[in-house]
Amino acid sequence: MANPRQDSLEAAVGRLLQRHVGARVLVAFSGGVDSTVLLHALSQQLPPHRLLALHVDHSIQAGSGGWAIHCVKVCGQWGIQIRKTVLIPAARDHLGEAACRDARYAWFASLIRPGDVLVTGHHRDDQVETVLYRLLRGSGVHGLGGIQPERSFGSGILARPLLACSRSDIAAYAAKQGLSWVTDPSNEDRRYDRNFLRHEIIAPLAARWPASDRSIDRAARHLRHAHALLEEIARQDYDEFWEPATNCCLGHHGCMEVVRLEKLSTSRRFNLLRYWMSRNGYQPSGAKRLDELWRQANLARVDGNVRVAWPDAEFRRFRGYLYLLPRQSMGPLPDSISWTTHIPIQCPGVGLRLHARVSHEGSLRLKPEWSTRLELSWRRRRARLKPTGGQHRRRLRNIFQESRIPPWERRRLPMIYRDGVAIGIPGVVLAEGFSAAVGHEGVEICLEDLMLCRDGGRSDP
């Protein structure tokens, strides 16, 4: 008679392959029992050329080199290709779990191709540990949803096909198939948070409530559904409230009007702000930080400027609108830079790269004869120039204000000089006499915001 537990494990793998017909499957293969069972189950349902095992040696445990040899041997026996690497953490602290995990997944992401599926051996017991750990950290609905069964990852998909299986299901499969695996002695080290939870908290819970793992897993599924509903509401609100920040020259993720945001309930407003951050690649903020953001944004005078920053992003208020930006550099401004415009130039300290291109359209195009050797300067106190088509020389401060250029961009934008004469500011203004005539060839100075590239966020269309 078939073992229903093993049928369930094999069926879970089969369902994954049905969802991703024809995909190449990359297996995070540590050599432990969980990943060994997953790799074996996949090898029973896939031809070897569609499988690739990935092994990472962090060189933290004394025997980790032997684990890599074991993994290569197993893959050789099963006819599966393997890629392995050594990723040694910068700090040799064996408790640096997050740093090792981040390094592993960065390597996995570098190998995954469009259409690939990366799978890991996470199971229901791992889910229980994750949910309890996040509960103790005060996570919200999204965090308490635990490990996602499937999500986008790099150019492909990250899946956990064994998430509905228990540790005992996996052990039973391994015993029946006569599999061999390595054992990490650090799994018994109570100094690891997860190990402490597993041995000191979860084991007594399971002894008192044998179905506690299924109950916690079910609660996590409910919370994932609740999070999906919150995301749906946030997308609707985003489509209604988000506006393109057409007044900005540099990297941004749009803006929203504060007066309109005021009309939302606090919970719905914070849900929208978190969604705004997450869709642009930033870690959503907790309630305390959002409370501070809204207190400042709401209490500021109409023309007041507000800045609330996170490690990789920040919100700013300007002229009644809230802007989401990559974290802005607040370091010292660079000295003047000489620029030969046929070569792109990177400006240290302000996070900009400039390049010149020939164009026949647009109002901010230099005459070609003025565009070859330029000087970029950020020292422009009381600078004045006469804009193209203007009647009088104007202070740069007034030009910025009338163009609605926000303060955080003003300090980063360079003044362009030629032979000591101020020509203009890219994306904002050109002085009279230097602008190419309509329909004639001109040179446009283009700005690339390296802060936006650095943080991996993207501007909304």
Side-chain angles (χ1 to χ4, degrees):
M1 182 176 177
N3 186 330
R5 288 184 173 182
Q6 292 175 27
D7 287 347
S8 175
L9 188 151
E10 292 161 347
V13 170
R15 287 191 294 272
L16 168 80
L17 300 180
Q18 288 172 4
R19 290 195 301 274
H20 302 285
V21 176
R24 184 178 70 147
V25 180
L26 286 63
V27 184
F29 184 39
S30 68
V33 63
D34 304 333
S35 61
T36 299
V37 164
L38 177 57
L39 184 61
H40 183 271
L42 284 163
S43 72
Q44 303 306 296
Q45 302 188 43
L46 277 182
H49 71 272
R50 283 182 52 198
L51 276 174
L52 175 62
L54 304 177
H55 179 81
V56 178
D57 178 4
H58 289 297
S59 295
I60 294 175
Q61 297 293 331
S64 63
W67 303 346
I69 294 172
H70 167 85
C71 290
V72 171
K73 180 181 177 181
V74 168
C75 288
Q77 292 171 345
W78 296 348
I80 297 169
Q81 183 184 1
I82 184 170
R83 292 279 299 274
K84 55 190 179 70
T85 190
V86 177
L87 298 174
I88 302 175
R92 295 303 297 266
D93 180 357
H94 73 288
L95 297 179
E97 301 170 80
C100 291
R101 182 176 62 250
D102 291 346
R104 278 197 307 277
Y105 279 91
W107 184 63
F108 295 156
S110 73
L111 298 175
I112 198 166
R113 301 194 301 244
D116 286 350
V117 180
L118 171 68
V119 296
T120 68
H122 290 93
H123 46 72
R124 188 166 65 232
D125 297 69
D126 294 321
Q127 181 73 291
V128 171
E129 292 170 16
T130 298
V131 172
L132 290 178
Y133 181 63
R134 291 179 179 177
L135 179 64
L136 292 171
R137 295 179 61 187
S139 295
V141 173
H142 180 50
L144 293 178
I147 303 169
Q148 297 183 55
E150 206 167 290
R151 67 175 177 85
S152 298
F153 177 75
S155 300
I157 298 293
L158 171 60
R160 282 81 173 219
L162 304 185
L163 208 51
C165 304
S166 69
R167 183 176 283 114
S168 58
D169 295 337
I170 291 171
Y173 181 99
K176 181 180 180 182
Q177 300 295 333
L179 304 180
S180 62
W181 60 88
V182 298
T183 301
D184 184 351
S186 69
N187 287 336
E188 300 301 317
D189 189 344
R190 266 57 165 189
R191 289 177 295 173
Y192 283 95
D193 291 338
R194 286 181 176 273
N195 290 345
F196 181 86
L197 276 172
R198 183 183 310 137
H199 297 290
E200 304 293 337
I201 306 297
I202 296 173
L205 277 177
R208 178 65 178 84
W209 293 284
S212 59
D213 61 336
R214 294 181 180 276
S215 298
I216 293 172
D217 181 49
R218 184 168 61 251
R221 288 200 304 273
H222 293 329
L223 286 161
R224 288 198 296 274
H225 292 155
H227 176 68
L229 177 59
L230 291 172
E231 287 269 292
E232 183 178 332
I233 294 170
R235 279 193 297 270
Q236 294 171 355
D237 288 341
Y238 181 87
D239 290 342
E240 179 181 350
F241 286 82
W242 183 87
E243 298 181 31
T246 55
N247 58 309
C248 291
C249 299
L250 304 179
H252 62 85
H253 304 291
C255 58
M256 297 184 187
E257 192 174 9
V258 173
V259 171
R260 296 185 66 206
L261 288 171
E262 276 182 338
K263 296 177 182 178
L264 295 176
S265 68
T266 299
S267 297
R268 190 162 179 172
R269 183 188 311 124
F270 287 2
N271 186 51
L272 172 56
L273 294 177
R274 288 192 186 99
Y275 174 79
W276 191 6
M277 294 183 75
S278 64
R279 73 171 277 140
N280 288 291
Y282 302 120
Q283 182 66 33
S285 175
K288 184 176 180 180
R289 201 77 174 119
L290 290 175
D291 272 330
E292 176 61 19
L293 166 65
W294 190 249
R295 185 189 68 79
Q296 291 193 36
N298 199 35
L299 294 180
R301 63 184 190 276
V302 175
D303 61 343
N305 298 320
V306 168
R307 176 179 184 259
V308 177
W310 282 262
D312 57 353
E314 62 185 57
F315 281 100
R316 297 265 195 158
R317 174 174 169 161
F318 175 62
R319 294 195 176 183
Y321 279 82
L322 200 62
Y323 294 75
L324 176 61
L325 313 165
R327 181 70 179 258
Q328 300 293 290
S329 172
M330 303 299 288
L333 294 171
D335 294 327
S336 296
I337 301 174
S338 295
W339 180 31
T340 303
T341 56
H342 67 277
I343 302 174
I345 187 171
Q346 188 163 320
C347 306
V350 291
L352 294 178
R353 182 184 291 123
L354 278 67
H355 71 274
R357 68 178 181 186
V358 175
S359 173
H360 290 80
E361 298 179 351
S363 58
L364 298 176
R365 296 174 302 118
L366 283 168
K367 292 178 180 178
E369 62 267 25
W370 287 100
S371 64
T372 52
R373 295 186 62 82
L374 303 175
E375 184 180 357
L376 309 175
S377 177
W378 288 261
R379 310 295 180 184
R380 50 175 191 247
R381 281 190 173 184
R382 300 181 181 178
R384 293 175 178 267
L385 54 79
K386 181 181 178 182
T388 300
Q391 300 297 317
H392 307 285
R393 287 170 58 84
R394 308 285 309 284
R395 290 183 63 184
L396 190 57
R397 176 181 178 181
N398 299 124
I399 294 172
F400 276 142
Q401 290 174 341
E402 290 171 9
S403 301
R404 300 182 62 246
I405 303 299
W408 59 88
E409 291 192 352
R410 298 175 194 177
R411 71 183 303 273
R412 295 177 61 197
L413 292 169
M415 177 76 86
I416 300 174
Y417 291 85
R418 172 65 187 270
D419 298 331
V421 178
I423 292 178
I425 290 187
V428 180
V429 64
L430 279 181
E432 182 74 31
F434 298 98
S435 181
V438 176
H440 288 67
E441 182 180 283
V443 176
E444 181 182 2
I445 306 300
C446 303
L447 299 164
E448 180 185 359
D449 191 339
L450 301 179
M451 293 182 185
L452 192 66
C453 301
R454 175 198 66 201
D455 291 322
R458 58 174 175 78
S459 293
D460 291 274

